[in-house]
Amino acid sequence: MNKSAVLASPAESLLGADGVHTSQAALAQHALDGLSPSVVAVPDTSEGVAEVLKWAHKDGLGVVVWGSGSRIGLGARPSRYDIAISLSRLNRIMEHDVENLTLTAQAGVTLLEAARTTVAHNQMLAAGWPWSRRTVGGLISANRPVPKRLLYGSVRDQLLGIRIALAEKGLVGFGGKVLKNVAGYDMTKLVIGSLGSLGVIVEATFKLFAIPHRETYLAAALASPILAASLATRLANGPLRPACLFLLSPLAAERMAKAQKLAGAAREWTLVAGFDGRSEAIRRQIADARALITQAGGDPRPACDTIGEAGGRCLTAEEESPPSVLRLRVGVAPGDVGDTLAYLETESPGDEPIDAVADHPGGAITLLFSLPEHPGESQLTETAGRIERIRAWLDEHAGFAVLEQAPAPYKSRISPWGRSSGAERAMGLIKSRLDPKGILAPGRFPEMNGHLGPLS
Amino acid sequence: MDLPPPDPKLVARKAEIVTALEEVLPPGTVIHATEELVAYETDGLSAYRRRPMVVVLPRETAEVSATMETLHRLGVPVVPWGAGTGLSGGALPMEDGVTLALSRMNRILEIDLDNRCAVVQPGVTNLRITEAVQGDGFYYAPDPSSQIACSIGGNIAENSGGVHCLKYGVTTNNILGLEVVLADGEIVRVGGKVMDDAGYDLMGVLTGSEGMLAIITEATVRLLPKPESATAVLAVFSSVEAAGQAVADIIGAGMIPAGMEIMDKLAIDASEQYAHSGYPVGAEAILIIEQDGPATEVSYLIARTEEILRAAGASDIRVSRDEAERLKLWAGRKAAFPAMGRISPDYYCIDSTIPRGALPRVLARIRELAQESGLRVANVFHAGDGNLHPLVLYDGNVPGELELAEQLGEEIMKLCVDVGGVLSGEHGIGIEKSGLMTYQFGENDLAAMQRVKCSFDAESLLNPGKVFPELHRCAELGRMHVHGGKLKFPDIERF
């Protein structure tokens, strides 16, 4: 009997037949880095998730959790992969507390579904674009960047409470629906960006914001990434209140121009500043921003009141990347974004234009490399060497580079995480205490290998 | 509440402990004479006092590391101490332990305006950070009312809040990186100017951990550009409940003011006698709201705020016309706690947070509970984020009044948890509320936190006896059965 058949029976006893998929199509759909699970568990309750984990813990089965799958490529190849838990049926909005400006949703709820609920009361979840099909659980697990972080904060600033299923101990809850909470350790923070390696998020509570009366974007062409970044710093540090500041390489700006008139048609370094607020306030801020841009030698374009889904995808580099694209997330201090982009431009072999988008306030640069999907050895060596050079340069500037997506041959040659943080021991101990048998996202998360010790 | 007695075996080893510390630390760093220890007997929860066995006053991270390595080796508990202003007894010393006071680590190491941050040692006071950067148009947002005295290390340990946290977040939202020393002396850096690095958010779990996971030795804090304009509004209401409803209406309308504070009649009258801010003596309640941002935005927000306040029944509304008036409106609020000394010998400050929609009914119930207890309760609180600060007034010299005040406090805290709130919004659990943790959390929730504690401090030497009602031994979480205090196979390695 194959492993799927062996595992299907206990899984069905926990979730019922409709909560377990073992068809080849379902297993292939949940394949990861060349590995397929033996069963796909699709619980429709939080308790169901907890039951699956208790079973996996007892039998030592490796578990990988799936939200929308948009960033499932983040992380190393699993060292064990028996059960895929899909959260697609945990898709209920539990509470929209309008008076309190909070939303509690199950982990499989998409940002689009959340937006449909909150818009009726002129409120929004600012943790991502309202059109996104990403799930709130995935957003937290992968710690996705917030487009308008400068105004609304990051995921860690917006997440108020969480309910998770632990490998051994079942369901636990931390935080709540209040903004200030110092009762006990802030366990909500631990699961942000943890890729499901400490527990499975089943429910989350976010703070909401009022939908701004107006949002306006202003783009400006500049001669170099250093000038663009310097202007971004001035805009962020002065009296204006931009909601976001993105820097687009000429190649990315060209893509933006095709999707949206905002960036103009020319291949130039482009700064996009977004403003949320009242019309009068925005008009004045746009005028002031224009003056600063001109003063900095930039060429401001006509302001634009909406950028839509296509424009938003360009700004946060969220296009559906074809499988041949290698996606690298670079992190540096915001003040180093300009120098880093300039370095990446000069580092590019043969002066090939770089495809880069930077969220300046977050110091986050997304680099896209279009590569042959089935590379030869020389291509693999060259690409791995290039990533290594970039990481060496970043090391000297206290930065890092994480591989978010890559065709399988590249992923087997390039470490997904790069440098170690220096806090490996503490992280390893937390992992081993909360997931004693290491069944959750086994091998996928950084810092763990070599730091997991037995408990007794 | 009864505090546990010291371990006589540890107390008997004082000379050995002092010698071991003096061997690894510069002269003048270790103090142990009785008269020198008096200043460290109590933090802001002054109803409880204990004299520490020894106090260590390091100046550098390496000295903290040497201290921790030594005490870890000797098995001596450590209580971290910032400025001693905490209100939940989180820094209450141990008579069989060492207080590690970080007040001499008080240097601002770097100001980096391009990255909107400052790197500071833990003993730097909260206000000093703002003072250091305000000339360049920046400030550090969290502003606890003790900001002139409280230290940034203490703020991080307690995840402190303040008046302006409604819009700009509490301490955890304004910290970018930490350097900490672990229980065994290891120095670890987490976060920094570069954000969102891979790995668990240790900075998040360390912030607010009340000195139970690590010693903070350096912090990178976020700086914000000062808003272009700020205007304060003071509105008078016929009841605290009506003011609370106005807060819910404003939040429900989608506005997030920079601050929203309520004071009731007792607090208004006491504050006005003390600070002379022009508050309406005799009014049942006032609500102070501040809107900030670009000037045109603020003009609109203030107009809209006034509309909502009128609709909510405000009888009088004052709007600050300039910076001096704005500061004057706030001066009374900031003086409210010290002003309580004029109307009561002692007060017990509660710190629970509730969902904002529950404000009116919770405030009404607090009034009933106070009447039932026979004690007076003054209300001064961060209404915008639902962080209540009922001040239970009592006289510690009257036998039984402290206990009565604590009992009333407990009922109020339970009420807050019952409506979906939490035990503490910004003061921490400390010793004060540890007995109520099981009211808010289930057994598995507490066990998960305990596992995190054991990951950092398996011997439970860091600030033991705080926050949790009764800690399991870390060994028990490893499923080892400990009988009669004796471990099976005592020589094998464990963590």
Side-chain angles (χ1 to χ4, degrees):
Chain A
M1 196 184 282
N2 69 22
K3 200 169 179 183
S4 282
V6 171
L7 296 184
S9 171
E12 284 179 10
S13 72
L14 296 172
L15 302 176
D18 59 345
V20 181
H21 300 165
T22 53
S23 70
Q24 284 308 310
L27 301 181
Q29 197 187 338
H30 292 86
L32 188 54
D33 298 332
L35 285 177
S36 291
S38 298
V39 292
V40 179
V42 196
D44 62 355
T45 63
S46 301
E47 290 72 18
V49 176
E51 288 304 316
V52 171
L53 291 196
K54 280 184 187 168
W55 164 49
H57 171 77
K58 182 169 70 66
D59 291 359
L61 302 168
V63 175
V64 172
V65 186
W66 285 69
S68 70
S70 65
R71 282 291 168 268
I72 198 73
L74 180 59
R77 190 175 194 259
S79 56
R80 276 180 294 159
Y81 189 18
D82 302 301
I83 304 170
I85 296 183
S86 163
L87 298 177
S88 56
R89 290 206 295 171
L90 282 187
N91 57 2
R92 280 183 300 145
I93 303 277
M94 305 304 285
E95 184 191 27
H96 176 201
D97 187 339
V98 177
E99 267 189 321
N100 198 42
L101 275 169
T102 55
L103 180 82
T104 303
Q106 287 188 316
V109 168
T110 65
L111 294 179
L112 176 64
E113 289 158 352
R116 283 179 180 150
T117 298
T118 58
V119 73
H121 296 277
N122 198 38
Q123 296 180 356
M124 65 174 187
L125 175 59
W129 297 113
W131 40 258
S132 175
R133 268 81 174 171
R134 290 170 197 273
T135 62
V136 296
L139 189 80
I140 299 163
S141 250
N143 192 17
R144 299 305 307 152
V146 171
K148 295 182 176 178
R149 175 185 190 136
L150 196 53
L151 192 61
Y152 301 108
S154 60
V155 169
R156 82 192 290 281
D157 299 315
Q158 297 184 33
L159 181 66
L160 300 178
I162 205 153
R163 205 159 169 241
I164 55 176
L166 294 176
E168 192 184 11
K169 281 286 185 180
L171 293 169
V172 290
F174 303 105
K177 46 188 272 189
V178 294
L179 300 179
K180 288 162 90 174
N181 179 0
V182 294
Y185 303 141
D186 190 351
M187 303 284 280
T188 56
K189 299 285 189 296
L190 265 186
V191 296
I192 297 172
S194 67
L195 294 186
S197 66
L198 297 178
V200 178
I201 300 163
V202 294
E203 196 177 295
T205 300
F206 288 90
K207 72 171 169 179
L208 300 175
F209 296 86
I211 295 175
H213 290 88
R214 186 175 155 189
E215 58 172 350
T216 300
Y217 296 85
L218 178 65
L222 288 122
S224 75
I226 291 179
L227 281 175
S230 163
L231 180 57
T233 300
R234 287 188 68 190
L235 286 168
N237 287 7
L240 303 185
R241 283 291 168 271
C244 58
L245 292 161
F246 288 100
L247 271 57
L248 281 66
S249 72
L251 199 58
E254 187 182 40
R255 189 169 50 244
M256 178 82 179
K258 283 181 190 160
Q260 229 284 344
K261 62 184 179 182
L262 175 69
R267 271 192 170 205
E268 294 161 298
W269 278 96
T270 299
L271 168 71
V272 176
F275 296 89
D276 283 5
R278 301 285 308 168
S279 294
E280 305 81 358
I282 286 186
R283 265 198 297 276
R284 209 212 72 197
Q285 292 198 75
I286 292 284
D288 290 354
R290 278 182 185 287
L292 279 174
I293 290 166
T294 309
Q295 215 177 60
D299 175 17
R301 302 287 160 80
C304 176
D305 271 353
T306 179
I307 53 165
E309 180 171 343
R313 283 187 184 282
C314 290
L315 281 186
T316 45
E318 285 188 53
E319 301 90 325
E320 295 303 326
S321 303
S324 58
V325 165
L326 184 150
R327 192 183 162 96
L328 197 68
R329 179 168 65 89
V330 169
V332 292
D336 290 338
V337 166
D339 285 345
T340 306
L341 288 170
Y343 159 75
L344 291 169
E345 217 175 18
T346 55
E347 181 277 343
S348 180
D351 290 333
E352 194 184 316
I354 60 168
D355 192 345
V357 176
D359 166 19
H360 188 270
I365 301 169
T366 302
L367 265 177
L368 303 174
F369 302 82
S370 291
L371 298 167
E373 202 173 336
H374 303 288
E377 180 58 28
S378 65
Q379 174 74 52
L380 279 175
T381 306
E382 185 192 318
T383 305
R386 189 174 172 195
I387 303 295
E388 207 172 299
R389 280 197 306 279
I390 291 172
R391 281 180 166 158
W393 188 90
L394 289 168
D395 266 350
E396 291 172 17
H397 296 78
F400 66 87
V402 167
L403 197 61
E404 286 195 329
Q405 175 191 314
Y410 298 93
K411 208 164 169 187
S412 64
R413 291 283 286 271
I414 303 166
S415 156
W417 300 110
R419 71 172 188 181
S420 64
S421 76
E424 297 89 343
R425 187 169 67 107
M427 290 190 194
L429 288 170
I430 290 172
K431 166 72 176 171
S432 63
R433 292 283 185 187
L434 293 180
D435 177 21
K437 290 187 180 173
I439 61 151
L440 291 168
R444 299 201 71 211
F445 205 63
E447 323 293 3
M448 300 296 108
N449 299 333
H451 294 281
L452 291 176
L455 276 171
S456 58
Chain B
M1 82 189 69
D2 296 325
L3 300 172
D7 177 355
K9 287 183 193 160
L10 272 174
V11 174
R13 290 170 59 202
K14 178 173 175 177
E16 175 204 353
I17 293 162
V18 168
T19 303
L21 288 170
E22 286 180 338
E23 277 173 8
V24 297
L25 295 169
T29 306
V30 181
I31 60 174
H32 50 90
T34 304
E35 62 276 15
E36 293 176 306
L37 299 175
V38 172
Y40 298 92
E41 278 183 352
T42 182
D43 61 4
L45 188 70
S46 55
Y48 296 91
R49 289 175 181 275
R50 283 191 307 208
R51 188 167 301 164
M53 180 166 61
V54 177
V55 173
V56 175
L57 291 155
R59 291 183 191 277
E60 302 294 342
T61 299
E63 292 171 17
V64 176
S65 174
T67 303
M68 294 307 295
E69 193 278 330
T70 303
L71 297 175
H72 185 258
R73 178 167 47 80
L74 297 175
V76 179
V78 181
V79 179
W81 176 285
T85 56
L87 294 169
S88 59
L92 184 74
M94 300 177 71
E95 289 160 312
D96 53 1
V98 171
T99 288
L100 182 54
L102 298 151
S103 50
R104 286 181 181 170
M105 294 181 70
N106 59 0
R107 282 180 294 136
I108 294 176
L109 302 172
E110 183 190 1
I111 291 170
D112 180 351
L113 297 181
D114 275 354
N115 286 309
R116 296 184 289 282
C117 66
V119 183
V120 301
Q121 288 189 312
V124 171
T125 58
N126 173 297
L127 190 60
R128 251 186 77 202
I129 300 174
T130 292
E131 286 173 346
V133 296
Q134 64 190 4
D136 293 303
F138 287 83
Y139 73 113
Y140 174 66
D143 55 348
S145 53
S146 59
Q147 68 181 145
I148 193 167
C150 62
S151 69
I152 193 70
N155 288 178
I156 294 165
E158 299 296 321
N159 194 12
S160 304
V163 168
H164 288 89
C165 290
L166 174 58
K167 187 169 181 178
Y168 298 106
V170 294
T171 301
T172 194
N173 310 113
N174 289 279
I175 299 294
L176 296 171
L178 295 175
E179 178 194 73
V180 297
V181 175
L182 302 182
D184 61 2
E186 181 185 349
I187 300 167
V188 171
R189 299 190 81 91
V190 293
K193 294 176 187 176
V194 180
M195 291 167 263
D196 303 331
D197 202 350
Y200 301 138
D201 185 356
L202 296 186
M203 186 173 66
V205 79
L206 287 164
T207 304
S209 63
E210 304 201 28
M212 295 183 71
L213 302 182
I215 309 291
I216 296 152
T217 50
E218 186 187 294
T220 303
V221 303
R222 171 175 283 136
L223 302 174
L224 295 179
K226 198 164 175 256
E228 183 185 66
S229 76
T231 300
V233 180
L234 184 150
V236 181
F237 285 90
S238 58
S239 71
V240 178
E241 293 88 332
Q245 186 57 50
V247 169
D249 293 346
I250 285 167
I251 297 293
M255 282 193 279
I256 307 286
M260 277 212 280
E261 302 284 307
I262 285 179
M263 293 168 69
D264 72 0
K265 186 171 185 299
L266 258 179
I268 296 164
D269 293 353
S271 165
E272 188 54 23
Q273 283 177 39
Y274 184 83
H276 312 294
S277 303
Y279 285 1
V281 175
E284 287 298 321
I286 59 170
L287 170 60
I288 305 169
I289 298 174
E290 180 164 301
Q291 300 281 10
D292 70 3
T296 44
E297 188 87 18
V298 171
S299 300
Y300 164 78
L301 291 172
I302 290 292
R304 181 83 183 104
T305 301
E306 285 188 78
E307 273 174 33
I308 294 174
L309 291 173
R310 282 202 188 89
S315 60
D316 184 23
I317 297 173
R318 300 177 201 171
V319 180
S320 68
R321 286 165 298 186
D322 53 34
E323 185 64 2
E325 280 192 11
R326 185 184 74 84
L327 293 175
K328 194 173 177 191
L329 286 184
W330 279 116
R333 165 61 186 91
K334 294 205 169 192
F337 279 34
M340 286 301 141
R342 300 219 163 186
I343 60 170
S344 176
D346 300 289
Y347 67 86
Y348 173 34
C349 177
I350 295 157
D351 169 46
S352 300
T353 306
I354 56 170
R356 291 167 286 209
L359 272 172
R361 65 188 155 119
V362 168
L363 292 169
R365 181 63 189 142
I366 289 175
R367 187 197 297 267
E368 289 170 6
L369 288 170
Q371 281 166 357
E372 288 164 19
S373 77
L375 293 176
R376 292 182 300 165
V377 173
N379 281 295
V380 186
F381 58 93
H382 311 303
D385 40 35
N387 186 193
L388 303 181
H389 286 326
L391 303 171
V392 180
L393 309 183
Y394 70 99
D395 184 346
N397 291 321
V398 176
E401 275 217 353
L402 169 62
E403 290 74 17
L404 192 58
E406 287 183 336
Q407 192 186 333
L408 174 56
E410 182 174 325
E411 285 174 39
I412 293 172
M413 285 187 261
K414 284 180 173 174
L415 166 67
C416 293
V417 173
D418 290 344
V419 300
V422 298
L423 292 171
S424 179
E426 58 183 2
H427 295 169
I429 299 297
I431 57 160
E432 180 205 11
K433 312 176 195 81
S434 60
L436 286 174
M437 285 289 275
T438 51
Y439 196 79
Q440 182 181 332
F441 291 101
E443 190 183 335
N444 283 348
D445 307 336
L446 290 172
M449 289 191 210
Q450 169 67 357
R451 284 173 182 238
V452 170
K453 164 73 173 169
C454 294
S455 305
F456 282 91
D457 178 24
E459 285 78 18
S460 203
L461 293 176
L462 274 169
N463 215 6
K466 311 286 170 60
V467 180
F468 297 102
E470 182 189 346
L471 290 179
H472 295 281
R473 292 177 61 127
C474 292
E476 288 177 57
L477 294 171
R479 299 207 176 282
M480 288 185 293
H481 294 281
V482 182
H483 297 292
K486 291 181 182 169
L487 288 173
K488 287 172 78 176
F489 312 111
D491 296 324
I492 64 169
E493 191 175 341
R494 299 182 170 100
F495 54 80

